[in-house]
Amino acid sequence: MFCYQCEQTTRGTGCVKFGVCGKTAETADLQDVLVHATKRLATRVAPLAAADRPAEIAPLLETALFATLTNVNFDDAAILALIRRVIAAIGPEAGVAADADRSALLAFAAQSGIEARTARFGADVVGLQELLLYGLKGVAAYAHHARRMDRADPAVDAFTVEALARLDAGESEIAALLGLNLACGEASVKVLALLDAAHGDTFGKPTPTPVRIGHVPGKAILVSGHDLVDLKALLEQTEGTGIRVYTHGEMLPAHGYPELKKHAHLAGHFGGAWMRQQKEFATFPGPIVMTTNCLQDPDSSYADRLFTRDVVGWPGIAHLDGSDFSAVVAAALAAPGFADEVTHATHLVGFGHDAVLGVAGTVVDAVKSGAIKHFALIGGCDGSEGERSYYTDLATAMPADWMILTLGCGKFRLLGHDYGTVAGLPRLLDMGQCNDAFSAVKVAQALAGAFDCGINDLPLSLTLSWFEQKAVCVLLALLHLGVKNIRIGPKLPAFLTPTVLGVLVETFGLKPIGTVEDDIRAMATAA
Ligand code: FS2
Ligand code: SF4
């Protein structure tokens, strides 16, 4: 086992015996086999014209890559089943049978792991190879979501095949790898746009909506992860049962979508970001559905009422395929539900690009009059490290004439504080899930258009909190768009060597977060 794909990696260098996330060495090794198999499959289909590639290849690659994202699938049986599907799709060229035993499968991928490649290519090259792979994993996750709504972008599918095949061929030229990473950023922009359109067309454009952070009396189901299609199905299947449905974590923005909020039994939001789930799920009096990441080791106090969906898995935890949630409904009816009514807070969601651009005139006038001095995007992932309090401190220390945009589960670091209003608008605008970084891009592009300047000339700063590989996809998207001076934290990725970081700093002005005071001063000066 060697894994350094996420921000919480052991000692900031790599997990070698056991993942901080809970991944065992056995699971990590199987995930490496699965990733290797996806690269082999890409090599197998790359010579075919895109239109001649079997239709099942793109969704299979997406599912396989998504399953290896941090905090998604810890179930060896599920990973093995995916490996066998990918090898079967490769055919005899794989050189290993789809029903081969575990040791043969591990031998198949023996030279593909990070350590073997580092010995061969050096850490700079492997860091760039992994940056690309992690970007592709994020693209795969978002493409998988879009495909659930029957949306796909052939250019994104084609890029995934091309990039995986280049990795399989051992691309080791630094300039070529940098180019591939920026091309991955282009694919990332496309997939974010695809998912944004799919969500808007399926569930309506988000509109500003107050959400109760709390609960009401009655039977209850908690839905976590990012998959709005699952949430919709659950809402439909609980209609008229008296069961209330609550969102958790990255599901919070669901309340802004007309086709979801029209269900009156979408009753509120329960809990904070993913890393608090072991405590929070234990106190939830009903079943919990984990539709995507971020899943943690289920505590025995709720393991028997936890359900995983789709690519998510944990050994011994009930897994649901298809769209029949009757087992969840039955579990909710058998559980006690809430006895009391509690409102901890109310949070406004629904500031996607349509809602914000709907008041663009007000915003532009406010910038011209000096009422709004700066736009600060603070978003991304949350995580358990204490130093993530930086993001709370940063937001609360910002001047009252700075508008704050947020998205992703990193937003939970910003909630619980009254930011007031600026120019008659809420100062804190919640743009949605991590994938709604696309909304931030659209708003920034529109502002740049209104002021006839480039994005980098706007009074705009971007501070990203990263944790897993979807954040890598979003970062590459921003770099592809030419966005400069992005701050990232709380730690820099372990897979980026000082040499590669030097290139990113020089080319894009990418920088680590500093102190709150220094960073605010620098943001104000840059504006
Ligand atoms: Fe948060 Fe976890 Fe959204 Fe990431 S719930 S860190 O997967 O994708 O942000
Ligand atoms: Fe470690 Fe993160 Fe890899 Fe899990 S996903 S094994 S925590 S680096």
Side-chain angles (χ1 to χ4, degrees), residues 127-251:
L128 281 168
Q129 291 175 339
E130 293 302 292
L131 178 67
L132 176 58
L133 175 67
Y134 306 153
L136 290 171
K137 288 187 183 194
V139 169
Y142 293 140
H144 183 87
H145 282 300
R147 205 176 290 277
R148 292 212 68 206
M149 291 167 274
D150 295 324
R151 304 299 177 97
D153 183 337
V156 172
D157 297 348
F159 177 75
T160 297
V161 167
E162 186 208 335
L164 286 171
R166 294 279 290 276
L167 288 173
D168 190 43
E171 178 59 74
S172 57
E173 163 88 34
I174 297 271
L177 285 166
L178 281 168
L180 278 165
N181 274 292
L182 286 182
C184 186
E186 185 180 5
S188 302
V189 174
K190 287 188 174 134
V191 80
L192 291 170
L194 182 76
L195 184 55
D196 175 78
H199 279 153
D201 292 347
T202 311
F203 305 112
K205 315 266 187 234
T207 55
T209 308
V211 184
R212 173 205 297 266
I213 312 290
H215 56 260
V216 294
K219 306 283 187 185
I221 294 171
L222 189 60
V223 188
S224 191
H226 307 68
D227 197 318
L228 303 183
V229 176
D230 274 357
L231 176 63
K232 177 70 175 171
L234 257 163
L235 287 166
E236 286 172 347
Q237 291 175 38
T238 47
E239 197 82 61
T241 61
I243 297 168
R244 305 297 199 311
V245 176
Y246 296 87
T247 55
H248 174 265
E250 275 277 65
M251 268 305 164

Side-chain angles (χ1 to χ4, degrees), residues 364 442-455 458:
V364 168
K442 291 270 278 189
V443 169
Q445 286 172 333
L447 284 174
F451 291 103
D452 198 19
C453 66
I455 288 181
L458 289 169

Side-chain angles (χ1 to χ4, degrees), residues 318-331:
H319 182 80
L320 299 172
D321 280 315
S323 52
D324 179 4
F325 287 94
S326 52
V328 180
V329 174

